[in-house]
Amino acid sequence: MDELMKNTFAVHVVAASASVALGTTIIYPLDSLTVLKQVGSTTRKQLAVGQVLARVRAISGYSGLYGGLGWLIVGRTFGLGARFGVYEILTAFYKDGREYSYVDVSEALMAGFAAGMVESLVSSPFEIIKLRAQVASASRLLHSSSIAEKSSVSPLISSLLPRYSMNMMSMSNSICILSTLTTKHENLVSALREYPWMMTGSGRPPAVSNVRKPSDIIALEGWRGLWRGLRSGVFRDSIFGGIFFSSWQFLHNAMINWKAVGMDPIPRGDEDVGPLSPLAVSIAAGVSGSIAGAASHCFDTAKSRSQCTVIPKYISMERKLLKWRKPGTRLERLTGIHPADRNLLLNGIRLRTVHCGLASFVVVGSYFLAIDLLAAD
């Protein structure tokens, strides 16, 4: 019995991993276009899909649409595993003690909320690396040699802020304003460069396309930088998980009732009706994914734009010491939405709706197909 359970668990793990990898790879270009449209648009200029595609093709070629694919596959595998694992555990408590195993739509909604929160915590570090790889595919990268030619950076700044570009005009204008040094100091400019607040306040942080590796993010932004945009991400994944599972449960109940029509004798529970076809379940998952993607899109845009911002850890430290208050209303601060992004929250909603629907359909459909193939062996 133990050997059978081990084999069954291994079959489901292999099938789930293969389906996630296949679904992510097939739908990934849509995800890249959605992200680049979200982070590249401004209130004055909304990018079209054709403009985004033309820019990626000109800079990186069509292969640029697959930048960061490996990171997303790993993050999606762990994230979906956490989402469905938490959901199954919670719904098992709901079904415990009932004569027939069933889950109400409201119960699926609450379990989906909790599952989405866990998924966000697990997948956030992989998403920021993926997003910055996507942005790099549409950005012209500056080499470190060209940056060194434009600015003179002291050894202390170079070690604390890698790839940091000093703004010499701001440095010159800041002399005698933010310093406690005497104006008769023998080398005032060099001394000011050693000041932490001058390193962050007078300079310009690196472009997001130059801070895309995990080591770069940790060195410049700290470990907390891997979870940038966590608030909006938690709201996004919670809403997505709740609506996805509740919609899927509602469609599942509707298909079960439709299948039970005309059966003799009348079935007393779902087990008496029998399993649904894999195609019907996949279509229900696709429809649920589209609805959930549209409902959570505002928070997805907020998270993408937040992850596309480079904030050195010393600026974060200064803000914490100065008790800097985040801009926006109380709701915006709670959900992690920047007030400057209010008019951009719905940008790319059509692409993400199609992307989430197709991804859910492919992942669920390929999962059932893989289960059938592995079980047959």
Side-chain angles (χ1 to χ4, degrees), residues 124-350:
S124 183
F126 302 96
E127 286 189 2
I128 188 172
I129 303 172
K130 179 268 300 183
L131 180 138
R132 295 192 174 182
Q134 291 172 326
V135 174
S137 67
S139 305
R140 300 187 185 277
L141 302 179
L142 294 176
H143 299 288
S144 57
S145 59
S146 62
I147 296 177
E149 294 174 357
K150 293 181 180 179
S151 62
S152 177
V153 182
S154 68
L156 178 59
I157 298 177
S158 179
S159 61
L160 293 179
L161 297 177
R163 301 186 181 183
Y164 178 79
S165 178
M166 178 69 72
N167 189 326
M168 297 306 298
M169 181 177 296
S170 298
M171 172 65 73
S172 300
N173 294 334
S174 301
I175 293 178
C176 304
I177 297 178
L178 299 177
S179 175
T180 59
L181 299 172
T182 174
T183 56
K184 296 181 180 180
H185 195 279
E186 57 182 5
N187 196 346
L188 185 60
V189 175
S190 298
L192 279 173
R193 290 178 183 172
E194 304 297 329
Y195 275 55
W197 56 83
M198 292 300 295
M199 287 190 293
T200 56
S202 67
R204 179 179 54 189
V208 64
S209 55
N210 289 330
V211 191
R212 63 185 189 275
K213 297 180 180 178
S215 57
D216 296 336
I217 297 175
I218 295 172
L220 182 60
E221 303 177 71
W223 286 96
R224 295 182 62 181
L226 294 175
W227 280 270
R228 186 173 306 284
L230 181 61
R231 290 192 178 188
S232 53
V234 168
F235 277 90
R236 179 200 66 179
D237 292 335
S238 297
I239 293 174
F240 186 95
I243 294 181
F244 175 79
F245 284 114
S246 59
S247 301
W248 199 5
Q249 188 65 39
F250 175 80
L251 294 175
H252 179 270
N253 293 340
M255 290 186 293
I256 286 290
N257 294 333
W258 179 266
K259 185 178 180 181
V261 173
M263 294 184 65
D264 190 21
I266 299 177
R268 300 179 58 188
D270 294 350
E271 292 82 358
D272 297 336
V273 177
L276 298 171
S277 66
L279 179 60
V281 176
S282 302
I283 293 176
V287 174
S288 302
S290 297
I291 298 173
S296 60
H297 179 76
C298 294
F299 300 103
D300 181 71
T301 303
K303 182 173 184 178
S304 297
R305 295 183 68 85
S306 176
Q307 291 178 331
C308 197
T309 303
V310 177
I311 303 179
K313 53 187 174 183
Y314 294 98
I315 291 183
S316 301
M317 185 185 302
E318 291 171 4
R319 290 178 175 179
K320 184 178 181 180
L321 292 174
L322 296 174
K323 297 182 179 180
W324 178 76
R325 184 177 181 181
K326 295 182 179 180
T329 62
R330 181 179 299 180
L331 179 61
E332 289 173 338
R333 293 195 300 270
L334 176 64
T335 58
I337 297 176
H338 196 280
D341 300 335
R342 293 172 183 171
N343 298 328
L344 300 172
L345 295 180
L346 296 179
N347 198 19
I349 186 172
R350 295 180 181 177

